[in-house]
Amino acid sequence: MKKEQTLNRRNFIKTSSIGIAGLGISGDLNFSSEVTENKNLTQKIRKFNILGRTGFKVSDIGIGTSRIYPVPVITALLDSGVNYIDTAERYGRGASEKSIAKAIKGRDRKSLFITTKLHLTETTSSDEIEKRFNKCLERLETDYIDCLMIHGASSIAVLKNENFHLAVKNLKAGRKLKFTGVSNHGARFGRNKDVMEEVLMGAVDDGRFDVILVVYNFLKKEPGEKILNACKKKNIGVTIMKSNPVSRYYDIKERIEKLKQEGKEIDTRTKNYFERLKETAERSESFIKKYNLQNSDEIRDASLKFVLNNPNVNVLTLAFKNFDDIEKLLKLSGTKFTRSEIQKLNGYAYGSGNLYCRHGCGICESSCPENIPVNTIMRYNHYFETNESEKFAMEKFAGLSGLDQEACLKCSGICEMSCPFDVPVKGLLILAGHRLTLS
């Protein structure tokens, strides 16, 4: 393995000979919107589930994202019946927990289930864990936290860190913590790390974890359902993330055509990969016409209802940027997954399913001679295009370290040969690089 170096993102863009303007992406992105007052919202939570062995009755839709929410939006969600909140110490460097503190002030604390998360290693000490946990308590301005999760556990060895379990014992004795859990959406660098399924099944088998946070959607069903079924048998609470795998496939063809119109030079190998993406986008257009889809919200709603209607799912955590999101997403609470929606998802999977680089997969990473963190880069791209968390995604991408991505441009696409889902990984990585740098 070569010595790791900072990802050369700027050279990655230059070498590909494709300017950001050629991708049709504006540099004037609206990274945040001010929300200053509440609105008269009509949608309410209509279904509650028992969160496994915790016994807590949670709303079927919860708050869960790395974004920092405006306090009025959190307040409106709580007023609408949402009572599950997922956050982490690293979200906004603690700012997320502080905004939640403001929103929950004056409310019945026992009516809410709050989860926060800490990134740990196999050797993190119990003293450090307790110290960081207490900082979370301070930022949340609460006497206790319902669940402490190991954030993105990279291996089974992290789950077995007895320092964590000692810290948990001490925090529970002090009545600062009630339950423990673990999340995983794939290793940051897949090589020499355990995959999502192995880590979360390890947590189930361990027996000391009460709640898990797992990737599950209609295009990534098999590993998720295996984990969900195992949790059901052990009465472990299940919360879901990355439930909408639908990318902005609508604009791929348009961006590629714009490159040609502006006379941008594209090397032959990269052009061939973009042509493959274009063909997939054209299949998507046929799918849109067949089902008379007016906008991507229809597929999004169907994909979320697919998750909500799984009886082994307790909470679907979603991102809410504004009041409109509350109205659009809470309307799905307690609703049924229809035959028409099943057909739409099946059609999408057939026409465009290979545009989704599966979260938590990482199968191709072991074959990459340059150790490119495919799973991580595509996850950040997902934040950018699906969660509309552009600034956050770009900051996370800028913080990556690893091998030079210029290698992707010269590579024959070894990653694609290893992908069992026929994902055009190389082309998607190049587009992701453009999206996440704007340079």
Side-chain angles (χ1 to χ4, degrees):
M1 184 183 297
K2 295 181 180 180
K3 184 178 180 179
E4 289 191 350
Q5 57 183 335
T6 302
L7 284 172
N8 192 340
R9 290 166 292 276
R10 185 173 298 275
N11 286 342
F12 180 39
I13 298 300
K14 289 181 179 177
T15 306
S16 65
S17 303
I18 306 173
I20 197 68
L23 288 175
I25 303 176
S26 168
D28 184 25
L29 293 173
N30 179 20
F31 290 143
S32 63
S33 56
E34 294 296 326
V35 181
T36 57
E37 60 180 29
N38 205 336
K39 291 185 178 182
N40 294 322
L41 302 176
T42 60
Q43 298 299 330
K44 302 286 185 181
I45 291 293
R46 291 181 288 275
K47 184 181 179 184
F48 293 84
N49 302 310
I50 301 300
L51 186 62
R53 66 178 66 148
T54 73
F56 198 96
K57 195 174 183 180
V58 290
S59 52
D60 62 347
I61 294 176
I63 302 170
T65 180
S66 52
R67 295 178 65 96
I68 302 171
Y69 294 116
V71 174
V73 170
I74 304 175
T75 300
L77 284 163
L78 299 179
D79 290 342
S80 298
V82 174
N83 68 355
Y84 185 90
I85 304 173
D86 176 283
T87 185
E89 66 169 350
R90 286 193 177 182
Y91 293 170
R93 300 182 180 89
S96 174
E97 291 174 327
K98 290 180 180 179
S99 64
I100 291 168
K102 294 178 181 178
I104 67 174
K105 185 168 293 186
R107 293 180 182 270
D108 179 8
R109 178 63 183 85
K110 293 181 181 180
S111 69
L112 304 174
F113 194 101
I114 299 176
T115 293
T116 196
K117 305 189 287 293
L118 302 178
H119 274 289
L120 306 177
T121 69
E122 294 90 339
T123 59
T124 307
S125 71
S126 59
D127 287 342
E128 179 185 339
I129 293 170
E130 290 187 49
K131 181 178 179 180
R132 287 163 58 189
F133 177 90
N134 286 326
K135 289 291 184 182
C136 293
L137 275 181
E138 291 177 13
R139 288 189 292 267
L140 286 165
E141 298 182 33
T142 182
D143 295 330
Y144 70 94
I145 290 173
D146 295 277
C147 182
L148 171 64
M149 284 191 176
I150 298 178
H151 195 174
S154 60
S155 67
I156 294 176
V158 174
L159 306 178
K160 301 294 185 180
N161 180 351
E162 293 303 321
N163 294 329
F164 170 75
H165 296 287
L166 174 59
V168 166
K169 181 180 179 180
N170 293 338
L171 293 170
K172 286 183 176 180
R175 298 187 177 181
K176 295 180 178 180
L177 176 67
K178 292 188 174 183
F179 305 104
T180 59
V182 60
S183 73
N184 182 282
H185 43 196
R188 179 169 175 172
F189 287 89
R191 185 168 293 171
N192 299 325
K193 295 293 183 181
D194 298 327
V195 299
M196 180 188 74
E197 180 181 338
E198 292 173 345
V199 172
L200 294 181
M201 287 301 293
V204 172
D205 294 338
D206 182 273
R208 290 177 287 185
F209 295 93
D210 307 297
V211 184
I212 63 139
L213 175 58
V214 58
V215 173
Y216 177 61
N217 58 61
F218 75 95
L219 289 178
K220 188 175 175 62
K221 295 184 288 187
E222 288 77 13
E225 289 177 350
K226 178 180 178 180
I227 295 166
L228 266 57
N229 290 332
C231 287
K232 181 69 174 180
K233 292 178 181 178
K234 295 288 186 71
N235 199 23
I236 296 172
V238 173
T239 61
I240 303 297
M241 60 178 166
K242 310 290 189 301
S243 52
N244 176 19
V246 180
S247 301
R248 292 179 182 173
Y249 61 94
Y250 298 101
D251 67 350
I252 289 178
K253 180 181 176 183
E254 179 182 344
R255 278 189 271 128
I256 294 172
E257 289 298 329
K258 191 168 184 177
L259 286 175
K260 296 179 180 179
Q261 293 172 7
E262 296 184 355
K264 301 292 181 181
E265 294 184 6
I266 311 174
D267 66 87
T268 302
R269 188 173 289 167
T270 302
K271 181 178 179 180
N272 291 337
Y273 278 90
F274 280 167
E275 285 299 320
R276 185 180 174 192
L277 290 178
K278 179 182 175 181
E279 291 174 3
T280 303
E282 288 173 345
R283 288 202 307 270
S284 297
E285 288 183 359
S286 299
F287 158 75
I288 293 169
K289 292 177 181 178
K290 178 178 180 179
Y291 291 98
N292 191 30
L293 300 180
Q294 302 303 312
N295 55 66
S296 59
D297 287 356
E298 296 177 53
I299 293 296
R300 178 205 63 201
D301 289 354
S303 60
L304 298 184
K305 289 171 72 174
F306 166 84
V307 176
L308 287 168
N309 278 262
N310 187 314
N312 293 337
V313 170
N314 303 139
V315 184
L316 168 58
T317 61
L318 295 175
F320 300 86
K321 303 180 297 297
N322 48 47
F323 297 120
D324 288 339
D325 280 349
I326 296 176
E327 290 288 90
K328 290 178 181 179
L329 299 177
L330 290 197
K331 72 178 182 182
L332 305 177
S333 174
T335 57
K336 297 297 182 182
F337 189 39
T338 67
R339 183 181 299 274
S340 172
E341 288 167 331
I342 294 173
Q343 292 176 339
K344 288 178 181 179
L345 293 190
N346 288 338
Y348 180 88
Y350 174 77
S352 306
N354 67 333
L355 282 180
Y356 170 54
C357 187
R358 273 65 174 170
H359 286 100
C361 176
I363 291 175
C364 68
E365 292 186 351
S366 61
S367 66
C368 176
E370 301 297 333
N371 198 24
I372 298 298
V374 178
N375 178 67
T376 300
I377 293 173
M378 295 312 300
R379 175 157 53 89
Y380 295 163
N381 184 64
H382 172 82
Y383 294 151
F384 188 105
E385 68 177 12
T386 304
N387 288 359
E388 299 180 18
S389 301
E390 292 92 349
K391 184 178 180 180
F392 172 79
M394 292 169 68
E395 288 176 346
K396 296 292 287 184
F397 183 76
L400 280 178
S401 62
L403 295 177
D404 194 338
Q405 278 199 70
E406 289 182 24
C408 289
L409 300 167
K410 304 171 185 176
C411 181
S412 60
I414 297 174
C415 52
E416 298 188 359
M417 301 175 193
S418 304
C419 179
F421 308 107
D422 196 32
V423 175
V425 184
K426 175 180 174 177
L428 293 179
L429 280 172
I430 292 172
L431 290 180
H434 285 289
R435 279 199 181 107
L436 297 167
T437 54
L438 298 183
S439 58

